[in-house]
């Protein structure tokens, strides 16, 4: 896949607290799979997916922290050259939403100022466990001028849309 022909290659990154569902969102988008267990994590991982926009083929290279966020070990190289970021929180854990601002600060510190950021509230299937209201996500996104969606990697709701919004917006800016 990596050497398939494409017109553009976009690096994008996944960020957010541990266990919010970043790896599962990525595997859902890249391979349409869902893993119930958190995988053992060493180093950064990434996956590719090609998307057709008009007559252009965009190859998105999507980086996953692979658990590094637990050790606060995400560094410059993770963000370097990234044109888009998907900032994920878990709608069933309020603290992961409260940490969104911390992640935005980190993005501003290390990332390109023009980076496209999509805020994602994941695990929308867990309705009974919800701690963060949709409106809270929307309001924050409005204030911070981000795109916003709620997703379920488990039930494959809005996952494709979230990645495609990011890729399309990068394409329009590029
Ligand atoms: P990461 O640490 O942010 O990469 O999170 P993972 O992708 O490893 O997911 C952490 C846990 O949440 C795993 O047990 C997943 O099965 C679970 N999970 C991820 N996405 C969803 C979702 O949309 N719904 C539900 N119910 N569980 C999810």
């Amino acid at each position: 896949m990596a050497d398939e022909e494409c017109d553009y290659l976009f690096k994008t990154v996944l960020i957010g607290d541990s266990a919010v569902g970043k790896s599962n969102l990525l595997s859902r988008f890249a391979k349409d799979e869902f893993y119930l267990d958190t995988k053992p994590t060493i180093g950064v991982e990434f996956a590719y997916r090609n998307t057709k926009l008009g007559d252009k083929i965009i190859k998105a290279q999507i980086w996953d922290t692979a658990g590094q966020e637990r050790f606060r070990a995400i560094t410059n190289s993770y963000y370097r050259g990234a044109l888009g970021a998907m900032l994920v929180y878990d709608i069933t854990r309020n603290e992961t939403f409260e940490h969104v601002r911390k992640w935005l600060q980190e993005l501003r510190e290390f990332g390109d100022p023009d980076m496209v950021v999509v805020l994602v509230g994941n695990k929308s299937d867990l309705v009974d466990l919800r701690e963060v209201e949709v409106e809270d996500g929307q309001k924050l996104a409005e204030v911070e001028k981000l795109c916003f969606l709620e997703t379920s990697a488990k039930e494959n709701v809005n996952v494709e849309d979230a990645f495609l919004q990011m890729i399309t917006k990068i394409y329009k800016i590029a």
Side-chain angles (χ1 to χ4, degrees):
M1 219 3 218
D3 48 18
E4 216 172 281
E5 272 188 37
C6 66
D7 297 297
Y8 297 96
L9 173 68
F10 293 164
K11 173 182 170 180
T12 64
V13 293
L14 282 157
I15 53 170
D17 282 6
S18 196
V20 294
K22 299 182 295 298
S23 302
N24 277 282
L25 286 166
L26 178 55
S27 53
R28 182 62 92 185
F29 180 66
K31 294 177 268 165
D32 199 15
E33 285 170 8
F34 179 83
Y35 299 103
L36 269 170
D37 292 319
T38 311
K39 60 180 168 19
T41 50
I42 330 131
V44 168
E45 301 186 336
F46 56 83
Y48 290 96
R49 201 180 116 172
N50 282 0
T51 304
K52 218 166 172 216
L53 291 183
D55 61 346
K56 303 288 185 217
I57 298 173
I58 317 287
K59 186 188 288 289
Q61 182 194 50
I62 307 152
W63 291 44
D64 182 11
T65 57
Q68 298 282 329
E69 69 276 22
R70 271 178 295 161
F71 315 113
R72 308 199 45 81
I74 300 182
T75 55
N76 288 1
S77 58
Y78 189 71
Y79 295 103
R80 190 174 305 130
L83 301 175
M86 187 172 284
L87 203 177
V88 187
Y89 65 89
D90 175 349
I91 66 145
T92 72
R93 284 189 296 140
N94 195 41
E95 91 234 28
T96 68
F97 181 66
E98 283 167 4
H99 292 161
V100 165
R101 284 217 154 87
K102 172 189 80 89
W103 286 107
L104 284 172
Q105 273 168 13
E106 191 164 307
L107 268 183
R108 281 173 195 137
E109 192 178 335
F110 294 113
D112 188 297
D114 296 328
M115 202 188 287
V116 169
V117 184
V118 179
L119 179 67
V120 165
N122 188 41
K123 309 197 188 179
S124 61
D125 56 288
L126 297 175
V127 274
D128 296 340
L129 298 173
R130 180 187 282 278
E131 286 185 2
V132 185
E133 297 305 322
V134 187
E135 294 73 25
D136 297 331
Q138 280 167 340
K139 265 187 226 147
L140 180 60
E142 221 170 278
V143 172
E144 299 289 344
K145 299 190 173 56
L146 316 170
C147 303
F148 169 72
L149 283 101
E150 281 198 349
T151 58
S152 167
K154 184 176 183 192
E155 298 192 340
N156 201 7
V157 176
N158 274 348
V159 178
E160 183 98 3
D161 264 18
F163 281 101
L164 289 183
Q165 273 202 21
M166 178 167 67
I167 293 163
T168 310
K169 205 160 171 208
I170 296 171
Y171 178 63
K172 283 188 185 149
I173 293 172

